[in-house]
Amino acid sequence: MLSRFPLISFRGRGPLLGLYLLLTCALLGCAQPDSGKDDTPVERRVADPRAGARNHKIDQVRMVVDVGFNPDQQRVRGTVTHYFRPLRSTIDSFYLDGPEITYKEVRLNGNLTNHDVTDGGIRIHPDAPRPWKQTDTLRIRYEATPRHGLYFTGWDDSTGHAPRQVWTQGQGPGPRHWVPFYDSPNDKLITETIITFDEEYRVLSNGERVGVEANGDGTKTWHYRMSNPHPGYAMMIGIGRYQVQRETSNSGVEIQNYYYPDQAGRAGPTYRHTAEMIDVMEQETGVAYPWSRYSQIPVHNFLHGGMENTTATVFSDEYYVDERAYRDRNYVTVNAHEIAHQWFGNFITMGRLEEIWLHESFATHYAKVIERKLFGEDHYQWNRKQERDQVLASLDRGPLPIRHTRAGSGRVYYKGSLVLDMLKDVVGKPEFDRVVERYLREHAPGNVTSRDFFHAFDEVLGQNLDWFFDQWILQDGLPHYDISTRMSDSSGTTVTEVTVRQIHETGPLTQDFRMPIVIEAHYEDGSSSCVREWIDGKKTAVRLAAREEKQVDYVLFDPGNRVLKRQTFQRDVQELGAQLQKASNMIDRHDAAEALRETSLSTKRGLLTNAFATEPSPHVRAEIVRQLAEDTRSTDLLETALQDSSSVVRGIALSRIPTIADPLVDDFERALSDSSYQNVETALDRLTTARPSRTREYLDRTASIDGQDYNVRLKWLAIRADLEDEPVPDELIDYAGPSYSFRTRVPALRALDKLDVTNETAAAHLLDAAAHFSRDLRGPASTILTSWLEEGERTLLESTYRSGEWTSRQAARIERHLEQ
Ligand SMILES: [Zn+2]
């Protein structure tokens, strides 16, 4: 699963810069790590009450789910047939999850059987104890109005604009809300889905489609079947009006891309690189795609970025984009992430919640590996930089290891992904790949634990890496290195002494770290010295010697920023300037630029300007623009930035330059037709604020641009409504309603709030949004609703609520607000 990742969006192929130097450096001084003062095994140093495998008495071998839906009532009617074996010598009862389900009939091996319905599910009491080594059949007929797990979108939109869909989200809520079964990943099973629905729609589920039959009553029945076991939470159904585009990977995997027929042109940019991604995963893991085919289906108001259902990924249609919107937001990272899960998560699966990193760290890591193959080294380094920022932002949740049920996405996704990079550096990439291949082959299609992964290194490489797994997976924290350098010349050599101190706080969950780290001294003549040294314990001294007397230009501690860390490294502006201009890794140049943030403009202006002129990476150029945006003496550079080939650089300039000086007006105006919709919106906003007398002219120039999810159109309508003599158009109010996705509704609701639009239609849209199943819509809408209540709109909201039609769940959510 991948949430909406706020940072990474692909902006274009960067040049491949210098290959990482790690391989050229010798590994020295390998000492055994300290045993640590705390004798408690590291895995038990932090309590994890939710950890552990769930008990179950039966092994579900195969499950056949036969369902139909009533979208207007948001209801499912179904029959599930379980083929199962007892897991004890005899069992006299067993339990299935299935909350808020109405159980109509329960038959074991064809006979009605005793059962108790509980809050969470159903307990079956066979007439006679069931012996093991025999397969029993349990058939349950049921109905449900699922609170979670199964969603009906667009059916309440009377305009017909919103796509009418039915779709599921298994991980998190669990399919238990619409089908009774033992819903836990420690019992993988073969699923078969039989779905009856209106024949005008198309239906997708897991595995092979083994049949579609017309029923002669306006409905069809679609039949899908998996051949191999997979986790129950990865079972899916997706229904809507779609067409299907087919392609094949080099190894012959059949790919089916579902697309909206009225936006067929978006399928190309959306699904770009899919086949290649599967090829890369097969090459990297050494294991062929584990399933018979792969499908992808966009849905409206999805709860996450994407979900890796086995053979059939569901993703948010905010990523279903045209060529132009692709620059601002695209499916690439989500696509790669969910494809990687087909191996890590679906083929091998955690049996217990604390092992979720075995899914998410690997999917995040391999998505990054895929993108590196597609877009090059600079792109990869930028992804790593953003992962590092996510990790640093997540540390305030308190000390928790990656392997913990409460570790949080900063650790489980991003820290874990970076830890796998470091593991590759420590053992070598060919070695790492060999271990992963063995680990996959040995445990698929079953369950895995962290120990299985760790053990594979012992087994395949004969290498005990407990020290690595302890410090990075089972304990918490990051090293904080304080680095100081001293240069000396003697008898024809230049020696650079580097002293590294570990200054982070240590405790039961964070020790001093032990890592091999590369240090480079770069000299003014362009040559360099390099050493790879174990940095271990409180203080390590490292010497780099040149064979002749040289002037040190700059020193890189950990070039390429391979080790996840904080660092305090006092360097003067000249050294940072040299690193910014000359370092071969984009990330080292970016780090040098960032380190200059607090330096005065007069000191850094010249070197930033020089670096900007030759810098190949848009992200480094953007960082330079960020620092010079307020500098009135850098107008030439800012003008160049506004014309930059990268929309990222143009975007930073458009948003950061505080006042639009005369020489820059033309460039801002040109941005009204920028290739990036985001930049058009920014330019329109900035220009109309800075030059209000020309507002109508700017509106005329952008009147025909909708943008992505109407971002430009919304800005345009809000600006026009703000002109004194213009009424708020119905169109703006409509964008806040159920015809549109949260990406449009949230900014529309905010614009209406800002314009003080408080009529009944706006109130109805606001109540609907505040009661929506999508948290991305409900959260911001709830905040606006609270402010309406505080600002005296209670009477309007209450009368709108009373006159509207609401489901019981919507009513409960709205009443909670109104009772505040
Ligand atoms: Zn994921």
Side-chain angles (χ1 to χ4, degrees):
M1 189 161 72
L2 188 59
S3 303
R4 297 190 167 79
F5 191 27
L7 299 166
I8 293 177
S9 73
F10 168 58
R11 300 291 195 153
R13 188 184 287 264
L16 277 159
L17 281 176
L19 275 175
Y20 184 52
L21 282 163
L22 192 71
L23 301 173
T24 65
C25 284
L27 182 58
L28 304 170
C30 171
Q32 287 301 310
D34 294 339
S35 62
K37 288 170 200 150
D38 188 342
D39 288 335
T40 317
V42 282
E43 282 150 290
R44 289 194 219 125
R45 280 185 210 163
V46 57
D48 194 353
R50 295 171 63 211
R54 202 175 153 199
N55 285 315
H56 55 122
K57 291 187 191 168
I58 60 162
D59 172 23
Q60 302 170 122
V61 180
R62 195 155 72 88
M63 172 168 82
V64 182
V65 185
D66 186 340
V67 283
F69 304 103
N70 182 331
D72 293 325
Q73 294 174 2
Q74 307 202 352
R75 198 140 176 89
V76 53
R77 189 174 287 134
T79 302
V80 59
T81 309
H82 290 283
Y83 300 85
F84 69 94
R85 284 191 211 108
L87 287 168
R88 322 276 164 85
S89 60
T90 56
I91 56 165
D92 46 21
S93 76
F94 59 94
Y95 179 80
L96 302 179
D97 301 298
E100 299 177 291
I101 285 179
T102 305
Y103 295 91
K104 298 281 192 185
E105 188 179 278
V106 183
R107 286 181 183 271
L108 185 64
N109 298 327
N111 303 315
L112 289 172
T113 189
N114 288 329
H115 59 272
D116 296 324
V117 177
T118 67
D119 282 351
I122 183 168
R123 180 165 291 283
I124 311 293
H125 301 279
D127 290 341
R130 307 311 308 160
W132 62 9
K133 294 175 185 163
Q134 140 177 352
T135 303
D136 285 313
T137 309
L138 176 73
R139 178 164 299 163
I140 302 176
R141 201 155 56 75
Y142 64 94
E143 286 184 30
T145 309
R147 183 190 295 271
H148 307 287
L150 177 71
Y151 303 88
F152 299 87
T153 64
W155 304 89
D156 58 347
D157 173 29
S158 54
T159 70
H161 182 273
R164 293 187 163 183
Q165 299 171 346
V166 184
W167 47 264
T168 59
Q169 166 56 26
Q171 199 169 27
R176 68 183 70 178
H177 295 273
W178 57 275
V179 52
F181 77 119
Y182 172 67
D183 185 5
S184 188
N186 66 351
D187 185 12
K188 297 176 76 171
L189 69 170
I190 294 174
T191 59
E192 196 168 324
T193 27
I194 302 167
I195 303 116
T196 301
F197 203 77
D198 185 334
E199 64 187 5
E200 298 292 311
Y201 290 75
R202 200 179 270 262
V203 175
L204 174 66
S205 190
N206 312 83
E208 288 290 332
R209 195 176 76 187
V210 293
V212 187
E213 275 182 35
N215 299 316
D217 59 355
T219 67
K220 276 186 186 170
T221 298
W222 286 261
H223 190 162
Y224 285 86
R225 187 187 290 151
M226 289 288 296
S227 310
N228 293 303
H230 71 125
Y233 68 74
M235 182 170 54
M236 69 77 71
I237 293 173
I239 303 174
R241 291 178 193 272
Y242 297 99
Q243 293 293 331
V244 179
Q245 172 204 69
R246 290 180 168 78
E247 57 178 327
T248 310
S249 76
N250 278 340
S251 61
V253 178
E254 193 187 315
I255 300 162
Q256 300 196 345
N257 298 320
Y258 281 59
Y259 66 89
Y260 294 147
D262 57 338
Q263 295 170 328
R266 296 186 179 194
T270 300
Y271 294 116
R272 187 169 291 154
H273 307 301
T274 299
E276 211 178 336
M277 289 177 181
I278 291 177
D279 294 335
V280 174
M281 275 305 288
E282 292 184 327
Q283 288 152 15
E284 286 289 320
T285 61
V287 175
Y289 177 73
W291 316 99
S292 58
R293 68 172 63 204
Y294 187 62
S295 303
Q296 312 180 80
I297 186 168
V299 303
H300 207 52
N301 282 319
F302 193 50
L303 304 162
H304 307 284
M307 174 64 208
E308 70 277 17
N309 307 294
T310 312
T311 76
T313 286
V314 170
F315 68 99
S316 169
D317 65 10
E318 72 199 276
Y319 299 109
Y320 185 71
V321 294
D322 63 25
E323 204 63 72
R324 193 168 165 191
Y326 179 92
R327 294 159 188 275
D328 292 332
R329 184 197 317 139
N330 60 51
Y331 179 50
V332 169
T333 298
V334 178
N335 191 350
H337 181 100
E338 310 309 351
I339 282 177
H341 270 312
Q342 301 299 325
W343 282 258
F344 299 99
N346 296 349
F347 194 38
I348 53 167
T349 306
M350 61 169 184
R352 29 180 80 198
L353 278 183
E354 69 272 26
E355 306 286 16
I356 183 76
W357 80 278
L358 294 174
H359 297 188
E360 299 303 348
S361 299
F362 283 73
T364 309
H365 176 80
Y366 277 95
K368 189 171 61 176
V369 169
I370 289 169
E371 289 189 48
R372 183 189 207 170
K373 277 264 167 69
L374 295 174
F375 309 125
E377 180 65 21
D378 274 16
H379 183 86
Y380 165 73
Q381 292 189 7
W382 184 243
N383 275 357
R384 296 183 72 257
K385 144 87 177 149
Q386 290 183 98
E387 290 183 341
R388 190 181 70 194
D389 290 349
Q390 294 274 344
V391 175
L392 292 175
S394 72
L395 291 180
D396 53 7
R397 290 182 62 140
L400 287 169
I402 291 177
R403 182 183 175 276
H404 195 283
T405 57
R406 287 186 292 112
S409 59
R411 289 185 178 85
V412 167
Y413 288 73
Y414 307 114
K415 185 176 178 186
S417 170
L418 290 165
V419 166
L420 294 176
D421 282 319
M422 291 191 283
L423 188 50
K424 271 181 198 170
D425 289 344
V426 167
V427 302
K429 183 172 183 308
E431 286 76 9
F432 177 93
D433 289 347
R434 200 175 156 86
V435 170
V436 168
E437 180 179 346
R438 168 71 165 269
Y439 162 72
L440 281 166
R441 291 192 189 281
E442 191 166 326
H443 299 286
N447 286 127
V448 280
T449 65
S450 298
R451 284 286 155 206
D452 294 328
F453 180 62
F454 303 163
H455 182 62
F457 286 84
D458 294 352
E459 220 173 30
V460 177
L461 304 178
Q463 201 167 354
N464 182 337
L465 291 163
D466 287 354
W467 62 272
F468 183 93
F469 298 124
D470 281 353
Q471 73 184 9
W472 288 115
I473 306 289
L474 304 175
Q475 304 187 49
D476 187 42
L478 312 176
H480 185 163
Y481 299 115
D482 177 272
I483 303 133
S484 56
T485 54
R486 201 162 65 90
M487 286 73 170
S488 57
D489 297 329
S490 65
S491 56
T493 65
T494 294
V495 173
T496 307
E497 287 180 31
V498 180
T499 306
V500 186
R501 291 182 174 80
Q502 300 204 41
I503 60 171
H504 56 271
E505 252 181 56
T506 56
L509 266 193
T510 308
Q511 320 279 320
D512 285 332
F513 281 74
R514 171 174 186 250
M515 282 300 287
I517 294 184
V518 176
I519 304 172
E520 292 173 356
H522 289 262
Y523 308 112
E524 286 188 348
D525 65 1
S527 64
S528 61
S529 308
C530 167
V531 65
R532 189 187 189 208
E533 187 74 70
W534 284 98
I535 304 299
D536 190 3
K538 284 273 173 262
K539 182 180 165 188
T540 310
V542 179
R543 283 164 56 92
L544 291 103
R547 293 215 179 93
E548 51 192 296
E549 282 189 27
K550 303 221 182 203
Q551 281 299 321
V552 175
D553 205 9
Y554 62 100
V555 173
L556 283 179
F557 178 76
D558 188 23
N561 216 331
R562 304 293 307 179
V563 175
L564 180 56
K565 63 183 174 301
R566 294 178 196 277
Q567 70 173 42
T568 302
F569 188 178
Q570 290 302 332
R571 289 157 291 181
D572 65 31
V573 172
Q574 260 52 51
E575 285 175 275
L576 289 170
Q579 181 177 329
L580 171 60
Q581 287 217 330
K582 298 176 192 172
S584 59
N585 287 303
M586 165 264 170
I587 199 64
D588 294 327
R589 299 196 302 279
H590 194 278
D591 286 350
E594 265 192 351
L596 286 163
R597 279 188 185 174
E598 305 304 320
T599 304
S600 71
L601 279 173
S602 59
T603 311
K604 69 184 175 185
R605 179 184 296 117
L607 59 93
L608 287 181
T609 305
N610 288 339
F612 184 86
T614 56
E615 174 55 55
S617 163
H619 298 293
V620 181
R621 293 203 300 279
E623 173 61 28
I624 292 171
V625 172
R626 187 181 184 279
Q627 294 187 39
L628 294 178
E630 296 178 23
D631 181 25
T632 50
R633 292 175 57 189
S634 292
T635 308
D636 284 353
L637 181 142
L638 297 174
E639 207 174 334
T640 314
L642 287 164
Q643 298 168 20
D644 198 283
S645 59
S646 158
S647 60
V648 178
V649 179
R650 298 195 302 275
I652 286 280
L654 288 167
S655 59
R656 294 273 177 161
I657 294 169
T659 49
I660 305 175
D662 286 341
L664 300 181
V665 172
D666 281 354
D667 293 305
F668 268 82
E669 290 181 348
R670 201 174 306 111
L672 293 173
S673 52
D674 196 283
S675 59
S676 152
Y677 289 128
Q678 194 54 56
N679 289 350
V680 175
E681 181 189 337
T682 307
L684 182 60
D685 189 34
R686 296 295 316 276
L687 282 166
T688 51
T689 307
R691 313 206 148 212
S693 63
R694 296 179 65 186
T695 295
R696 283 182 195 281
E697 180 198 331
Y698 296 138
L699 289 175
D700 284 347
R701 288 176 59 174
T702 48
S704 63
I705 306 173
D706 283 340
Q708 172 70 352
D709 300 311
Y710 303 93
N711 75 310
V712 177
R713 186 71 184 159
L714 281 165
K715 177 61 70 183
W716 191 96
L717 289 166
I719 291 168
R720 204 185 61 163
D722 211 21
L723 294 178
E724 272 173 36
D725 52 345
E726 299 284 354
V728 172
D730 288 344
E731 186 188 349
L732 181 56
I733 298 171
D734 288 345
Y735 286 133
S739 303
Y740 298 90
S741 84
F742 75 97
R743 282 277 182 191
T744 304
R745 294 183 73 178
V746 170
L749 285 165
R750 287 187 176 136
L752 294 177
D753 188 42
K754 211 169 150 204
L755 292 163
D756 286 328
V757 178
T758 49
N759 60 35
E760 205 160 301
T761 312
H765 291 343
L766 179 57
L767 290 175
D768 175 84
H772 203 270
F773 66 75
S774 161
R775 240 178 301 139
D776 297 290
L777 176 56
R778 191 169 74 233
S782 298
T783 306
I784 296 169
L785 181 53
T786 303
S787 79
W788 276 40
L789 287 167
E790 285 165 6
E791 285 158 21
E793 300 297 342
R794 177 172 293 278
T795 313
L796 169 67
L797 289 165
E798 284 181 348
S799 71
T800 306
Y801 171 54
R802 279 196 304 274
S803 62
E805 279 181 33
W806 310 97
T807 66
S808 58
R809 267 167 215 143
Q810 286 175 315
R813 282 189 174 127
I814 293 169
E815 280 171 19
R816 266 204 302 279
H817 276 291
L818 296 181
E819 281 159 13
Q820 279 172 12

